[in-house]
Amino acid sequence: MRNTLWSITLFVFDIFLFVYGQSSTGGTTVQTQQGPVEGSIVTPGVRQFLGIPYATAKRWQAPQKPAKRSTTLDATSFGPSCPQSLTPITNEFLSLTGSGGQTTSESETCQTVNIWAPSTDRPQNTSVMIWIYGGSFAYGTTDFKYYIGENIVRDNDDVIVVSLNYRTNIFGQPNAPQLALSLTNSQNFGLLDQKAAIQWVSDNIAVFGGDPDRIIIFGESAGAISTDAYAYANPDDTIVKGIIQESGSLAGNSLLAPQAPESTVVSWTEVATSVGFADPLQLACMEIIPFQELENVVIALEATFAPVPDGITYFDDINERSAAGNFLKVPLLVGSNANEGDIFVVSLEVLELGGSIPGLTQEGSEDITEVCTNSDDNDNLTERYLKLLFNCPASITAAGRVDADVPTYRYRYEAIFPDVTNNRPDLGAYHSSEIPIVFGTYNSSAFTEPPSDVEITLSTYVQSAWVAFARDPVNGLTNFGWPLYNPNTASIARLGSTDNQTGVVFGSSATFDVGCDSTEAELSLVEEVFALTSGF
């Protein structure tokens, strides 16, 4: 009888651990569906769990659920990053941001999530923000100083932050013709990784104190495009309740439209040829070559691998789908930065644009150099970047959601801080400069300039806005004082502008969207430079 009672007691205790994710360690031991994980108290009030596998996948195969464990997983350090394509121009970009790059090793066993959750003495059953990093689908990792979710959770109740690793470049979307013949599903393995991670979070976040019915996804650049791809690929999804897109979306123009399949077929063939493989055994050989060798060849060739239309995860008729309302109709916060393109042009100039970068025609080089150096030209290259690659897609995406009666908010980030720009006035409010403000990770910059009081106050405001949206995507920002976006009214939230450096003022589409109907000639010129800066 005593043994029976003891067994029942243990069974009830196991259920308690699974439901509440708590133990005598103060909530740092959590029972996931795959087994227990042990995190840490990273700062008073915040639990941190790093490197938890959400899936397993062999090279160029779809992710599968990870195996169950009988032992406790040590979740106190980041898992390895997925293989990266870090070209010289990408490294220059990262250097200009002061980010310092990743610190973990790389591995193809890289499908992990990281979770920052409030300690168990704080309110639980919180909203959940899942972060998807950018990097032009060529590189990216959660082991990145600006992406740490600790400060958001420390300074805001009712929120958990999750980040996920996903495959990029040739490992994430190879577009191999031989593989296409053997697959009935998608070759966009990075996008499949993202979906698997979102599903894992939905299945497990309750034990970390999160509410699986209040999950949003947010990302920047390629990460923002990924959130849009998710919305179009999963119109009937019930997991994601809101989306934040920072400087990226699918709609707008040909430069952000899905990539033509034949272009990455060429990249695949070039890489395969460079490592000495040819048909018919090409695929089998490419599957077993060490990933470091493939990675090095991709970097040396500056080969581009991006998601391609497959009718499953990525589509080539986004404008038509938008007009038909064929997407996930959840509230959207979308925006761009005031000087998105400046950092791209500076990176090119640092690497001596005129002749050191392969693939640029002499005529194109002369045209672009003239545009880059003509500071009096209001239609210069950086302005075109802003409009054609970021501002106009944000405008078109927002308008499409409004037309479908989706609660939509739009922002424009305008702040410039010395510790973010390293005192370089030519960078402005550049592409990705809002990230340390959103995450409150400005102190992580490699630059020596300290954050200003204005910067700290603006970061608190922006964080509060993002969290308000996460808590209640439908009404959170309205209650926060933001109007729903309307192309005909002053409803664009200008963050950190000279009119209010620590908060918000509202501007109109008529002011910022002029020039979105640019000519094909202008698109062609910017497209040539965009091809060179595909590592951003």
Side-chain angles (χ1 to χ4, degrees), residues 44-302:
V46 180
R47 293 176 292 156
Q48 176 178 265
F49 303 86
L50 304 177
I52 305 174
Y54 67 80
T56 183
K58 295 182 179 179
R59 184 181 299 176
W60 301 320
Q61 292 187 16
Q64 305 295 322
K65 286 187 175 182
K68 292 188 176 182
R69 302 179 303 272
S70 58
T71 58
T72 300
L73 175 73
D74 181 357
T76 58
S77 59
F78 284 102
S81 301
C82 298
Q84 309 284 294
S85 177
L86 295 171
T87 62
I89 198 166
T90 298
N91 287 324
E92 182 58 38
F93 171 88
L94 293 173
S95 176
L96 287 169
T97 67
S99 61
Q102 69 185 43
T103 59
T104 60
S105 60
E106 296 176 13
S107 171
E108 290 187 79
T109 306
C110 59
Q111 289 87 359
T112 58
V113 294
N114 314 291
I115 300 171
W116 290 269
S119 56
T120 53
D121 58 349
R122 296 175 61 191
Q124 302 291 291
N125 200 35
T126 73
S127 63
V128 182
M129 304 173 69
I130 302 178
W131 170 253
I132 304 177
Y133 52 70
S136 280
F137 300 102
Y139 70 98
T141 176
T142 59
D143 174 30
F144 197 71
K145 291 187 294 185
Y146 291 159
Y147 300 162
I148 305 300
E150 173 187 340
N151 293 343
I152 295 178
V153 176
R154 180 196 65 197
D155 298 336
N156 299 274
D157 283 331
D158 192 23
V159 67
I160 281 175
V161 175
V162 180
S163 62
L164 63 94
N165 274 343
Y166 65 95
R167 288 172 284 181
T168 59
N169 57 74
I170 195 172
F171 301 95
Q173 47 277 328
N175 196 26
Q178 303 92 334
L179 191 58
L181 295 174
S182 64
L183 283 177
T184 57
N185 296 316
S186 175
Q187 279 199 62
N188 292 328
F189 300 111
L191 296 180
L192 294 177
D193 286 349
Q194 294 170 13
K195 184 174 182 178
I198 292 168
Q199 183 64 60
W200 187 94
V201 171
S202 176
D203 292 341
N204 288 276
I205 201 63
V207 299
F208 294 91
D211 183 350
D213 292 324
R214 288 198 297 153
I215 293 174
I216 74 158
I217 55 178
F218 72 128
E220 187 268 345
S221 195
I225 293 174
S226 296
T227 68
D228 220 15
Y230 187 92
Y232 282 100
N234 303 278
D236 300 318
D237 180 67
T238 59
I239 297 176
V240 173
K241 301 302 193 302
I243 296 173
I244 300 177
Q245 295 174 359
E246 301 175 25
S247 302
S249 64
L250 285 175
N253 58 67
S254 62
L255 295 184
L256 285 183
Q259 183 172 344
E262 58 271 14
S263 62
T264 49
V265 167
V266 171
S267 293
W268 168 272
T269 303
E270 287 179 341
V271 172
T273 301
S274 293
V275 295
F277 299 141
D279 290 330
L281 300 178
Q282 183 189 83
L283 180 61
C285 294
M286 291 280 280
E287 285 177 332
I288 62 174
I289 188 173
F291 81 83
Q292 296 94 335
E293 185 172 346
L294 279 182
E295 178 182 57
N296 291 337
V297 171
V298 168
I299 293 172
L301 294 175
E302 297 187 9

Side-chain angles (χ1 to χ4, degrees), residues 36 108 152 154 223 243 248 269 309 316 337 385 390 417 425 439 507 533:
E108 290 187 79
I152 295 178
R154 180 196 65 197
I243 296 173
T269 303
D316 57 5
N337 294 357
Y385 259 119
F390 304 104
F417 297 113
F439 280 85
T533 59

Side-chain angles (χ1 to χ4, degrees), residues 395-419:
S395 173
I396 294 169
T397 297
R401 297 302 203 272
V402 170
D403 289 343
D405 295 324
V406 172
T408 303
Y409 303 89
R410 185 178 168 193
Y411 76 89
R412 173 183 164 91
Y413 180 78
E414 302 179 17
I416 302 172
F417 297 113
D419 61 311

